[in-house]
Amino acid sequence: MIIDKHSVIPIYYQLFKYLEKEIRGGHLKPGDALPTEAELAAAHGISRMTVRRAISELAAADLIYTQKGKGTFVAKPKLDNVVFDLRNFYDEIRQKGMTPHAKLLEAKVIRADEQLAKRLGIAVNARCIFFRMVTLANGEPVAYEEKYTIYRKRLPILESELKDPSLSNLAAVHSNMPPASSKKVLMASKTNEEESSALGVAPGTPVLLMLQTVYDQDRRVLAWGKSVYRGDRTKLISYDGWNLEEMQGS
Amino acid sequence: MIIDKHSVIPIYYQLFKYLEKEIRGGHLKPGDALPTEAELAAAHGISRMTVRRAISELAAADLIYTQKGKGTFVAKPKLDNVVFDLRNFYDEIRQKGMTPHAKLLEAKVIRADEQLAKRLGIAVNARCIFFRMVTLANGEPVAYEEKYTIYRKRLPILESELKDPSLSNLAAVHSNMPPASSKKVLMASKTNEEESSALGVAPGTPVLLMLQTVYDQDRRVLAWGKSVYRGDRTKLISYDGWNLEEMQGS
DNA sequence: CAGTGGTCTAGACCACTAT
DNA sequence: TAGTGGTCTAGACCACTGA
């Protein structure tokens, strides 16, 4: 029996897992039709709405697709999409079995020069908060970051910022408006002198360069940051397809 | 009236859009509780299951979160996740108003050297198919790619491969097994001589380097590819947060 | 305890597809 | 016309939260 109606595990989830296994295991191949919703409901003695719940979870996972009036079919895995997911640099390091450590190099109030004023959308000479930090993995520098935000609240630089030195937190603490959206641009670059010395590498070393801008609800800039990741120590990895569970280890 | 029960637009979708607007517009702020499902159902004269459909779509969009026994609340936008989504390099170029063009430099059958044999998981000296191509945007080279797959079927190199020169298609055409999953690694690098001449840049130019491996269901390697993107012409952009519609233009 | 979201049912009508 | 998935209803019971 595939479905245990008296289990603590929801019926729709049992059916979802069963069908998922059929697909990932290859018993159902791309293009194959699934049993109709009515058939699945009758076969397992459950309601069609419950079947639909399982079906829609499979569709959300891109394992199947539905066609009105025709049926439900196994999808082809999309393998050429590239989705790099850098959830949290700290956790990434930890996951590799290394110990991350953030080292604050500098934190002070500065006056905006022309370039910074443009980036933050403020007047030249306005007060700004400036952070410079290095992230280490097992004591070795892997990332160098500069962060800027407007100095609005005349607040001292707080401990909370050092505990959560993310750009959106910085913006939240020092702005009148809460951050609402963020834009990030990733590109390839070479280190300048400042970055080289902070990372302990030769000038011109290839790096990943990420620029982040944090906005409020009205699309006003709240903060701007630059992150430089050592090219030889930083890799973004993306997995696509179906047999993903087993892949994480490698 | 917010809900038109006789509209062709599904009720759950009307309610979803209405609540989405309340949240994105700021009438409902992060942490605020939504009306309970029963309240929403009664207020709009619809079934609770229909309300739940709208609620679950909002939750899937990370605009709200639910807590059993407590209620449903507006979520905080997560701004420090980085999700770079390179759906299709061709479309990316086209979206920027440029004309993409793939130029095949070479396509031939070769014998695997030690390195390639290791990458494809085959014997040294086994026959492989080798592609070398350049992608141009408005006539200017922006990417250089090398692709390798096992030569199993003794098939000629087909036109279909030139029309869809993706690595997973190459693997599909020349392998006995359909591709099931894919791994991609992105890093910063510098061009070597071959890449420099193909891209028309000086050796040592910073580039994004992407390595892709395509696997079958049993995690055997079907194809391997290397893509080099010009650092000064290629940017990966990621938007997070709530006011995304308006951001796409900038 | 009353109220919440989570699950489930057994129907119903619809638009769409293929024959 | 028969069969499919898409939407919707009006109930029901449950586990969990907070007072």
Side-chain angles (χ1 to χ4, degrees):
Chain A
M1 207 51 181
I2 290 148
I3 303 294
D4 176 4
K5 296 183 77 162
H6 304 96
S7 165
V8 286
I9 298 161
I11 296 172
Y12 79 87
Y13 190 73
Q14 295 180 47
L15 182 57
F16 166 78
K17 277 295 174 190
Y18 166 70
L19 292 171
E20 184 192 26
K21 196 172 289 182
E22 289 291 299
I23 294 168
R24 290 197 199 273
H27 293 103
L28 285 167
K29 290 177 180 51
D32 286 359
L34 266 69
T36 68
E37 297 176 353
E39 280 168 6
L40 284 169
H44 301 103
I46 58 180
S47 162
R48 191 182 146 217
M49 283 296 271
T50 306
V51 172
R52 280 186 62 74
R53 174 76 191 267
I55 295 280
S56 61
E57 305 261 327
L58 290 167
D62 274 331
L63 285 169
I64 60 168
Y65 60 95
T66 56
Q67 280 188 30
K68 198 197 285 193
K70 292 188 73 175
T72 303
F73 306 89
V74 179
K76 266 190 284 215
K78 300 187 203 92
L79 300 180
D80 296 298
N81 292 346
V82 188
V83 181
F84 292 106
D85 199 334
L86 247 179
R87 292 269 157 222
N88 187 320
F89 197 55
Y90 255 59
D91 292 343
E92 299 272 329
I93 294 170
R94 225 176 263 119
Q95 210 178 338
K96 284 171 194 151
M98 308 176 87
T99 309
H101 174 64
K103 189 169 137 195
L104 188 68
L105 301 179
E106 209 172 348
K108 60 179 182 182
V109 176
I110 60 168
R111 298 277 181 172
D113 63 12
E114 200 172 333
Q115 190 182 41
L116 181 57
K118 199 177 161 193
R119 280 176 177 149
L120 289 175
I122 56 173
V124 174
N125 242 355
R127 281 197 188 80
C128 299
I129 291 176
F130 169 56
F131 271 70
R132 242 159 45 87
M133 58 187 69
V134 167
T135 302
L136 310 157
N138 282 1
E140 188 183 34
V142 290
Y144 167 73
E145 295 179 285
E146 293 180 5
K147 304 181 183 194
Y148 302 86
T149 190
I150 306 166
Y151 185 54
R152 277 227 176 82
K153 291 190 178 168
R154 318 283 146 155
L155 285 174
I157 289 165
L158 301 166
E159 252 191 57
S160 74
E161 297 163 56
L162 306 181
K163 281 187 186 161
D164 177 7
S166 70
L167 196 61
S168 67
N169 184 53
L170 189 65
V173 170
H174 287 279
S175 302
N176 301 316
M177 299 290 291
S181 59
S182 162
K183 174 185 176 180
K184 288 167 220 94
V185 179
L186 183 75
M187 57 191 120
S189 184
K190 292 196 269 195
T191 52
N192 62 25
E193 281 167 33
E194 197 169 30
E195 295 156 359
S196 301
S197 79
L199 291 174
V201 298
T205 297
V207 286
L208 291 173
L209 172 64
M210 191 177 82
L211 307 178
Q212 181 179 5
T213 311
V214 175
Y215 304 90
D216 70 6
Q217 239 163 31
D218 303 321
R219 282 273 285 155
R220 284 183 299 240
V221 176
L222 296 180
W224 185 89
K226 177 180 85 168
S227 303
V228 176
Y229 302 95
R230 273 184 70 169
D232 54 344
R233 289 284 180 279
T234 312
K235 287 171 183 158
L236 304 189
I237 300 182
S238 157
Y239 294 98
D240 285 308
W242 286 351
N243 306 316
L244 300 182
E245 305 84 52
E246 313 103 56
M247 301 188 71
Q248 304 303 341
S250 54
Chain B
M1 207 52 182
I2 291 147
I3 302 294
D4 176 2
K5 296 184 76 162
H6 303 96
S7 165
V8 286
I9 298 160
I11 296 171
Y12 79 87
Y13 190 75
Q14 295 180 47
L15 182 57
F16 166 77
K17 277 294 174 189
Y18 166 70
L19 292 171
E20 184 192 26
K21 194 172 290 181
E22 290 289 299
I23 294 169
R24 290 195 199 274
H27 293 102
L28 285 167
K29 290 177 181 50
D32 285 0
L34 265 68
T36 68
E37 297 177 355
E39 280 169 8
L40 284 170
H44 300 102
I46 59 179
S47 162
R48 190 182 149 218
M49 283 297 270
T50 306
V51 172
R52 281 186 61 75
R53 174 75 192 268
I55 295 280
S56 60
E57 306 262 327
L58 290 166
D62 273 331
L63 285 168
I64 61 168
Y65 61 94
T66 56
Q67 279 187 34
K68 198 195 287 194
K70 291 188 73 176
T72 304
F73 306 90
V74 179
K76 266 189 286 215
K78 302 188 202 90
L79 300 181
D80 295 299
N81 293 345
V82 187
V83 182
F84 292 105
D85 200 334
L86 247 179
R87 292 266 158 224
N88 188 321
F89 197 54
Y90 256 59
D91 292 343
E92 299 272 329
I93 293 170
R94 224 177 261 120
Q95 210 179 338
K96 284 171 195 151
M98 308 175 88
T99 308
H101 174 63
K103 189 169 135 196
L104 188 68
L105 300 178
E106 210 172 348
K108 62 179 181 182
V109 176
I110 60 168
R111 298 275 182 172
D113 62 13
E114 201 172 333
Q115 191 181 41
L116 181 58
K118 201 177 162 193
R119 279 175 180 151
L120 289 176
I122 55 173
V124 175
N125 244 353
R127 281 196 188 82
C128 300
I129 291 176
F130 169 56
F131 271 68
R132 241 158 49 86
M133 58 186 69
V134 166
T135 302
L136 310 158
N138 283 0
E140 189 183 34
V142 290
Y144 168 73
E145 296 179 286
E146 293 179 6
K147 303 179 185 195
Y148 303 86
T149 191
I150 305 166
Y151 185 53
R152 277 230 175 81
K153 291 189 180 168
R154 319 283 145 151
L155 284 173
I157 290 166
L158 299 168
E159 252 192 56
S160 74
E161 297 163 55
L162 305 180
K163 281 187 185 159
D164 177 6
S166 69
L167 197 62
S168 66
N169 184 51
L170 189 65
V173 170
H174 287 280
S175 302
N176 302 317
M177 300 290 291
S181 60
S182 161
K183 174 186 177 181
K184 289 168 219 92
V185 179
L186 183 76
M187 57 190 118
S189 184
K190 293 196 268 195
T191 53
N192 63 25
E193 281 168 34
E194 196 169 31
E195 295 155 359
S196 301
S197 79
L199 291 174
V201 298
T205 297
V207 285
L208 290 173
L209 173 63
M210 192 177 82
L211 308 178
Q212 182 179 4
T213 311
V214 174
Y215 303 90
D216 70 6
Q217 239 162 32
D218 303 322
R219 282 274 284 155
R220 283 183 298 239
V221 176
L222 296 180
W224 186 87
K226 175 180 86 169
S227 303
V228 175
Y229 302 96
R230 272 184 69 170
D232 54 344
R233 290 284 180 279
T234 312
K235 286 171 182 156
L236 304 189
I237 300 182
S238 157
Y239 294 99
D240 285 308
W242 286 349
N243 306 316
L244 300 183
E245 304 84 53
E246 313 103 57
M247 299 186 74
Q248 304 304 340
S250 54

